[in-house]
Amino acid sequence: MGNEHSYIIEADRNVRERHSVRQLFRISLCQEKIFGALGVPFFSWWVLDFDTQWFGRKPGDIDILGGPLAWRDLGALTPIRERLHTQYPNLPGPFLDQEAFRIMAQQDQIEWPPTTDHLGGAEVKCAFFKGLHPYSAKHTDEDRESIRDQVEGLLLMGVDRVLLVDVIANEPASGHDGAAWMQALTLADASLTAMGGVLNARLPKESPAGHLALPIGAVVGGDEAIRGALPYQLLRNARANPHTHGDESAQQHRRKLANKIDAFLSRQTRPRTYPAVFVCCKICQPERVHALDDTACPLTPQ
């Protein structure tokens, strides 16, 4: 059965970060900001919690790893689009394209397995606020050093663009009409402000990694993916990973990572929707790979 505590703040401490990662992929605005920061289009594949124990150092698992998709035969778009235009002559061009691409995906036109020429990876941390007090903020020197090691590990693994994502969960707000949404936004803004000093100290200035803060204001009546406010803030842009050029060790790690990703994706069924998201689930027993909203997983909201 699905998870009865769908709010991030109510998740067990041992699974809260994993739950927050999955919630991010259920919120279109979060997808947009994460994908964009990593230089990956919406037409893309993603793996959550990908095992990199072979690397021998942090992060161990990559919270978010992804790259672009491609079409097997882009020429198939023209006849599909022309047919749609005949059926719906008043439909604007961008909507025609969107529907045509959806049909192409349903017709198994997504190239599979995809290329690994560009890889974007993210490390996710999750703090939460109760009564305006922060918890799991990871604000100590030891916490900061661990986070930096995890981010640096992604860079040394040869991932093209690296992002640190700080999720800040809040208690669900209640109220009549739009009052609940305004209260949720106020709480999210306040939590971001309160975490400002901690977030600014997360990464060294010279790091090429990007940093995205996602304070989430929940609203009573549905989890964050359904009802919530999200005053995101991109604290720093991700730059191209300098280790991918001239660092032979990083290049070797990158080749190994690409080979493992290729082998993993080759075992998965060609997707018919996108973005294609695969969860390497350590919550399910036994561990398995499943879709984002697989209802058999304990972390899937009901």
Side-chain angles (χ1 to χ4, degrees):
M1 293 297 293
N3 164 27
E4 295 182 0
H5 47 261
S6 300
Y7 296 110
I8 295 172
I9 196 170
E10 296 176 353
D12 184 271
R13 63 186 301 270
N14 296 319
V15 299
R16 186 177 294 114
E17 284 187 351
R18 285 194 170 98
H19 183 45
S20 70
V21 170
R22 300 183 194 194
Q23 288 294 74
L24 296 182
F25 271 73
R26 296 184 178 106
I27 302 172
S28 58
L29 181 59
C30 291
Q31 286 185 341
E32 175 189 337
K33 299 307 172 186
I34 292 171
F35 295 4
L38 292 174
V40 179
F42 185 75
F43 186 46
S44 54
W45 61 266
W46 298 91
V47 181
L48 309 185
D49 288 336
F50 188 70
D51 184 5
T52 54
Q53 300 294 330
W54 54 267
F55 186 47
R57 58 167 296 166
K58 294 180 179 180
D61 292 333
I62 302 180
D63 293 332
I64 299 172
L65 179 66
L69 289 171
W71 296 110
R72 300 171 71 184
D73 178 14
L74 191 55
L77 174 66
T78 300
I80 294 174
R81 195 181 188 283
E82 289 176 349
R83 185 174 72 251
L84 288 171
H85 180 64
T86 300
Q87 292 176 311
Y88 311 103
N90 297 321
L91 194 65
F95 292 99
L96 279 177
D97 290 339
Q98 182 177 356
E99 178 62 12
F101 286 136
R102 187 193 68 79
I103 292 172
M104 286 181 64
Q106 288 291 311
Q107 294 179 349
D108 288 331
Q109 282 293 338
I110 293 177
E111 185 70 42
W112 201 255
T115 176
T116 54
D117 290 345
H118 178 90
L119 295 176
E123 177 68 25
V124 179
K125 299 301 173 188
C126 182
F128 64 97
F129 275 68
K130 284 188 175 181
L132 300 181
H133 294 291
Y135 296 86
S136 299
K138 298 175 179 63
H139 63 283
T140 68
D141 291 342
E142 184 179 357
D143 292 331
R144 186 183 307 115
E145 189 65 28
S146 177
I147 291 172
R148 292 184 176 190
D149 284 347
Q150 290 170 318
V151 171
E152 183 64 15
L154 286 174
L155 293 166
L156 293 175
M157 210 180 299
V159 176
D160 293 284
R161 289 190 186 271
V162 173
L163 182 68
L164 174 62
V165 179
D166 265 292
V167 178
I168 309 173
N170 287 275
E171 295 176 292
S174 60
H176 296 292
D177 299 324
W181 299 90
M182 291 304 299
Q183 177 66 6
L185 181 59
T186 299
L187 289 173
D189 274 327
S191 66
L192 177 59
T193 299
M195 285 281 290
V198 174
L199 298 181
N200 290 333
R202 285 281 200 242
L203 298 173
K205 292 182 179 180
E206 66 274 11
S207 175
H211 192 183
L212 177 65
L214 294 172
I216 299 179
V219 176
V220 168
D223 65 71
E224 295 92 350
I226 301 172
R227 295 166 63 83
L230 186 66
Y232 67 89
Q233 186 173 352
L234 183 61
L235 301 175
R236 58 194 289 177
N237 290 311
R239 306 194 307 271
N241 184 357
H243 294 294
T244 58
H245 301 286
D247 186 332
E248 181 57 34
S249 176
Q251 291 176 21
Q252 290 177 356
H253 292 317
R254 166 53 183 266
R255 288 192 289 270
K256 188 169 184 178
L257 175 62
N259 289 337
K260 286 183 174 294
I261 279 288
D262 183 73
F264 171 83
L265 294 176
S266 295
R267 295 193 298 269
Q268 313 310 317
T269 302
R270 186 192 310 273
R272 290 187 165 188
T273 60
Y274 58 87
V277 182
F278 304 91
V279 180
C280 298
C281 191
K282 297 174 177 59
I283 305 301
C284 289
Q285 298 297 326
E287 296 181 11
R288 64 194 181 96
V289 178
H290 63 69
L292 181 64
D293 289 317
D294 189 317
T295 56
C297 177
L299 283 188
T300 300
Q302 291 182 339

